[in-house]
Amino acid sequence: MKIHKRSSALRKMKCFPCQFSNTIKSAQSNTSALMSASFFDQADIISTVEFNHSGELLATGDKGGRVVIFQQEQENKIQSLSRGEYNVYSTFQSHEPEFDYLKSLEIEEKINKIRWLPQKNAAQFLLSTNDKTIKLWKISERDKRPEGYNLKEEDGRYRDPSTVTTLRVPIFRPMDLMVEASPRRIFANAHTYHINSISINSDYETYLSADDLRINLWHLEITDRSFNIVDIKPANMEELTEVITAAEFHPNSCNTFVYSSSKGTIRLCDMRASALCDRHSKLFEEPEDPSNRSFFSEIISSISDVKFSHSGRYMMTRDYLSVKIWDLNMENRPVETYQVHEYLRSKLCSLYENDCIFDKFECCWNGSDSVVMTGSYNNFFRMFDRNTKRDITLEASRENNKPRTVLKPRKVCASGKRKKDEISVDSLDFNKKILHTAWHPKENIIAVATTNNLYIFQDKVN
Amino acid sequence: MGEEEGLHQTQLLDTMFVRGLKRKCFDGEEDIEGTLAGFKAIPSYNLQRQSLLDMSLVKLQLCHMLVEPNLCRSVLIANTVRQIQEEMTQDGTWQMINTQSAGQTSLDRLVSTDILCRSSKEQAEGKLVPVYSTFAKDCEGTQSQDNSEIMSTVTSPQVPRNLQSNMWEMENPQENRGNFQKSLDQIFETLENKSPNTVEDLFSEVDNSYYDLDTVLTGMMSNTKMGHCDLETFPSQTSANSNSNCKSDLNELDHIVEILVES
C-alpha cells in the first residue's frame, strides 16, 4: 500500500485523554518563546506505548507508575467497515515511588518501558520497568465465579457446620468480566544506574535489561540473580564519556543483541563468544560529516532508540535529527537515512538551552518492515516509506480532528516564504513532542502518544 | 539578563553555530580587545563560544535535584564543555585572557568559579564536595600583584574531568549547591575589596575549607599546574592527604602573609 494513499486515509479512531487535575501546574518553566505552558497533571505523561504480539492489546505506561491496557474490539467484519476500536481493558499501578535512603534520592515510579511476552495460555504477561526495578505482570480475565459452597456463604462468611444438612457441588456461574493484574515476579536491585531498555529474547525464557553503563541478562523465572553481560563503566568515573542508550535482542537469534551509545555507535554482541560481552562482534558507526560539524555534533548523534526489523535483517536507529536503517551485514554506514526535522539544525543552540536537544525520540517499524515511523515536535509525527521513498508529516491533535476524520498532511516551512497551510519553524511548539509511537504488528493501526494523550489511528478500509 | 535579551542572544548563537564554524583565524590582541571593550551587534565567535560554555556549566550545576540527574545528559554536556575548552586551549585563548592588563576584566568575565576543596568535616564523613572548573580571570590590577596572583586560577583541559567526577559521584546534592553558592559569593566579595589588607581579609573571613590551598599556592607559580592539582585533590583516595596538605599550606600561607604585611 502506497504511503500517500495511507496517509490521506488515516482516520482517527479514538483519543484517550488522561485525567486532568484541578491544580494548575506548568509542565516546564521556561521563558523561551518557543515553548508553551501546559496545564495538566505530571503523572499523566505517557512514557511508553507497546502493542502485544497479536496487536489485540495495547499497553501504555505513564509517569505516575500506572499501566493502562487497551483491547481491540472483536467486531463483526462483515458489518463494519473498520477494524475494531480500542477500549480500556485494564488499569493498574505497576510501580510506586521509592526513596533510596543511602543516596538521599527519590526513585521515580515512571514506567520507562513495557514489553509483552508472547501468549502461552489464557493469561497475558508483560514486563514493565522503572529506573531500578522490573516487574512481570500477569493479566488474566475472570468471567465466571464459583457458587454454592458448602461451608461458606455467598458473601464469604463461614457457615456453622452444624447447620449443613445437605451437600452440593459448587458450580461456575457467569459474572461480569473482571480483568485482574497481579505481579508475578519482581526483578530488583540489579541496576545502579537508570534502566533505559528491556528486551525479551526469542527463546522466551530470558530477557535483558540495560541501564546507562551495564546490561544484565535475566531468566524470567529467577529473580534473585542476573548475569552481567555488558559493562562499560570505566575504572575511574572521571574518564566516563559514553553511556548506553538502548539495547535489544535480535528477533530470531537468541544469542545476539545490540546496544547503542551516546556517541552514535551501535555494537552487536554474540553471547556465545564470552560471558562478558565487552568486545563487540560488530561495530556500526557512520563517519561524521565534516561540513556539518559543530559543538552539538556529538549530542545530536546520540542514539535514542534502536529497533530490529521484524525480519531481523535490518535495524533502525533514531538520533536527534534523523532515522537510519542499517543492514546488519554492513557496519560502516547505514543503508538508508531519513531526515526527520532537518530544519532544526539551525536551532540547535536554542534547543540546547531549553534542553529539547536531549529529548529521546523512539521509532518503530510497520508489520511488513516497509514503513518506519517516528515522532517530532508540535505533535507532529513522520512516516517514511522505504520502497517509494515518500514521507509524510501528520499531526496528532484534538483541535483539528474529530473521530473518523481523515488526517491532513502537514508541512513545516524551513525558511523563506511560507505557503498557505505551512507552519514556520518559529511557531512550532517544542512543548508538544511525540516521543512514543507504536505500530500494530499486523494491521495498519498506529498508536501515537502526545504528552498526555494517546491517539490511535488506522488507515481507511475501502 | 532579561528574557528578551536571553532569547536574542541564543538566536544569535544559533546563527553562529549553524555550520561547523569551528574556529576563526585568531586575529590577535586587537580583536580580543575589541570584543572585550563593548558589545557589538553580532557577538564574536569567541564570545559566543564562551557563552555556550557558561550555559553548559550552569546546566551541569542545575543537575542537582532530588531525583538522580540524568547520566546521559550530564555526560553529553560535559563532553561539550571539554570540547570547547580544548578548542580554547588550542586557540591560545586561555593565555590571551590571562595576560590582559588590569581594568579590562570585570566581574562579568568571571564565568564560574572553581572551588575545589573538601572541608575537614566532609572528609571525615567521606562525602564529596562539588568540583567545578575555574575560569576566574585576573581580577586585580598590577598594583596589588600579590592579590591577583593568588586569585588567578586558570584551569587547563584537565578541568572537565573534575566536572565529571563531581557529577557521577555526587553524594549530597543539596549541600553541594549551597556550598557552591556560598563560595561564589565569597569570591565576589573578596574580589571587590581592593584595600591593602585584602589578602589578610581573604583568609580571615573566608572559611578556609572552601579553598584548596594547593591550587592557590601553585597558582602563584604557574598556571598550567593548576589542573593537576585539581585532579589530585579531588578523588576520594587522597582524602587524608589533602586534608593535611591544606593545613600545612595554610600555615605556610599565614607565614607569607605576615611577611608581606610587615614589609
Side-chain angles (χ1 to χ4, degrees), chain B residues 32 169 230:
Chain B
I32 283 292
E169 319 272 30
D230 294 351

Side-chain angles (χ1 to χ4, degrees), chain B residues 244-259:
Chain B
S244 53
N245 281 346
C246 267
K247 289 210 166 107
S248 62
D249 290 336
L250 178 57
N251 294 332
E252 205 177 327
L253 202 57
D254 271 345
H255 184 60
I256 294 169
V257 165
E258 279 169 32
I259 296 169

Side-chain angles (χ1 to χ4, degrees), chain B residues 116 162 225 227-236 238-239 242:
Chain B
L116 170 68
N162 299 336
K225 274 194 181 173
H228 293 292
C229 284
D230 294 351
L231 251 188
E232 280 168 304
T233 51
F234 181 71
S236 51
T238 61
S239 57
S242 51

Side-chain angles (χ1 to χ4, degrees), chain B residues 1 20 38 53 61 63 66 76 82 87 93 102 112 122 139 146 150 180 186 214 232 249 262:
Chain B
M1 198 184 261
L53 188 59
Q61 293 161 26
C63 279
L66 196 59
L76 289 173
R82 185 195 304 118
E87 196 183 282
T93 316
S112 76
E122 278 168 336
C139 301
D146 299 329
I150 288 168
F180 175 82
Q186 284 160 344
D214 269 343
E232 280 168 304
D249 290 336
E262 278 164 12

Side-chain angles (χ1 to χ4, degrees), chain B residues 188-205:
Chain B
F188 285 146
E189 272 174 47
T190 53
L191 291 174
E192 281 169 14
N193 191 347
K194 295 195 189 222
S195 69
N197 291 329
T198 302
V199 173
E200 246 186 60
D201 290 343
L202 191 73
F203 291 98
S204 62
E205 287 170 16

Side-chain angles (χ1 to χ4, degrees), chain A residues 199-210:
Chain A
S199 176
I200 299 173
N201 204 348
S202 49
D203 63 8
Y204 301 143
E205 283 187 354
T206 56
Y207 73 94
L208 64 76
S209 58

Side-chain angles (χ1 to χ4, degrees), chain A residues 270-317:
Chain A
D270 188 333
M271 294 196 292
R272 297 169 300 187
S274 66
L276 187 63
C277 302
D278 270 357
R279 290 173 57 184
H280 53 263
S281 299
K282 293 194 186 192
L283 175 68
F284 297 85
E285 189 175 12
E286 186 174 24
E288 200 182 353
D289 178 8
S291 65
N292 267 337
R293 186 133 186 13
S294 74
F295 284 120
F296 306 109
S297 292
E298 186 184 318
I299 299 179
I300 63 170
S301 74
S302 173
I303 291 172
S304 52
D305 194 18
V306 64
K307 290 265 173 48
F308 277 106
S309 64
H310 292 93
S311 63
R313 182 170 165 202
Y314 298 98
M315 69 176 174
M316 165 168 55
T317 58

